[in-house]
Amino acid sequence: MTEPAKVALITGAGSGVGQAIAIRLARAGWQVALTSRRLNTLQQTADEIQGQEYLLFPCDIGRPAEVEKLSQAVLDKFGRLDVLVNAAGTNTPNRSLEKLSLEDFHRIVDTNLYGAYLCVKAFLPLMRKQGGGTIVNIVSEAGIRANSKAGPAYVVSKFGLAGLNQAINAEEREHGIRACAIFPGDINTPILDLRPVPPPADARQKMLQAEDVADCAMLVINMPGRAIVEELVIRPA
């Protein structure tokens, strides 16, 4: 009997690290569900993976009702989920304690942490029923040690995401579910444009590229079920 194709859901799949992971998975033969807030960016990712089975589903992952619709769409389309990649993330130019607004604080935490939690909560029952699954959380070195470059809302969200990763492993090992927190240093992705002073092109070329973090995610995903990479730190050389 032929085993069913493996299925992955990637949040933030319209650009940056999420897009790079989605393309790598699809080219490796995975069926992929792609979500972000904007359909046009998702379509750009889909254009890179023609020939593979995919689902495009625009979603604000910070809204429980939208995540519920997303989970139902994935179930209706594929009937299973083997990998969840929480790659969606955002920040604001006015990110210092002095300038950060309450509205921006909530928006950043809702996307970077609460959205990841909602996705985990939505898909854990399906993974438990299957007897296993892998969750990859794209964190940040700002989730290891705070820095002024990231801003407090981003730091809080990433420390929380690292804690969520640990909680998943503490509670879900018995169900065959494993989670990995990937902590990248500076990455050349569109989120850099949200810095108060975006870095120039030459500085971006010396940073990690989205494909470098995708390599880390694929390493984690392809590990045999008996193994778990709980945390992985990657920084520019």
Side-chain angles (χ1 to χ4, degrees):
M1 183 176 178
T2 305
E3 291 187 4
K6 292 184 177 181
V7 179
L9 167 65
I10 304 95
T11 73
S15 65
V17 171
Q19 182 181 67
I21 295 173
I23 292 171
R24 287 289 302 276
L25 284 166
R27 291 179 178 173
W30 285 65
Q31 296 178 337
V32 291
L34 313 176
T35 190
S36 71
R37 292 185 179 181
R38 298 185 298 277
L39 179 60
N40 64 322
T41 60
L42 290 178
Q43 188 59 60
Q44 292 171 12
T45 304
D47 291 343
E48 298 289 331
I49 57 174
Q50 290 182 0
Q52 298 295 339
E53 190 74 15
Y54 62 82
L55 169 69
L56 305 184
F57 198 94
C59 176
D60 181 347
I61 59 169
R63 298 179 180 272
E66 293 192 30
V67 173
E68 184 177 348
K69 292 178 181 177
L70 169 64
S71 63
Q72 189 60 54
V74 172
L75 184 60
D76 291 344
K77 175 74 173 179
F78 301 113
R80 63 182 292 116
L81 187 71
D82 301 282
V83 165
L84 167 63
V85 179
N86 286 312
T90 192
N91 208 332
T92 181
N94 297 318
R95 61 184 63 178
S96 67
L97 280 171
E98 179 185 6
K99 297 180 179 179
L100 180 67
S101 69
L102 184 60
E103 179 183 8
D104 278 342
F105 178 88
H106 282 294
R107 180 178 55 83
I108 293 166
V109 173
D110 280 353
T111 298
N112 298 359
L113 175 57
Y114 185 49
Y117 165 76
L118 289 175
C119 289
V120 169
K121 189 73 171 175
F123 288 101
L124 274 179
L126 182 58
M127 288 185 171
R128 291 189 192 110
K129 184 177 180 180
Q130 293 167 181
T134 299
I135 299 170
V136 178
N137 295 304
I138 306 301
V139 190
S140 166
E141 65 177 357
I144 299 174
R145 183 176 294 277
N147 61 70
S148 59
K149 176 176 61 180
Y154 192 84
V155 167
V156 166
S157 69
K158 293 302 185 176
F159 264 79
L161 186 55
L164 176 62
N165 192 85
Q166 292 184 16
I168 294 167
N169 285 326
E171 295 187 13
E172 298 298 330
R173 291 175 191 268
E174 62 186 275
H175 302 291
I177 298 168
R178 59 188 182 179
C180 177
I182 298 179
F183 298 88
D186 287 342
I187 319 170
N188 180 21
T189 67
I191 200 172
L192 292 177
D193 296 327
L194 295 176
R195 284 189 179 177
V197 180
D202 59 338
R204 293 182 186 227
Q205 292 308 308
K206 296 176 182 178
M207 296 177 181
L208 297 172
Q209 304 301 305
E211 292 75 17
D212 300 329
V213 185
D215 285 341
C216 294
M218 294 302 293
L219 168 68
V220 170
I221 291 166
N222 288 327
M223 293 290 286
R226 64 179 177 270
I228 177 174
V229 180
E230 294 186 342
E231 296 181 348
L232 194 160
V233 178
I234 175 172
R235 294 191 175 97

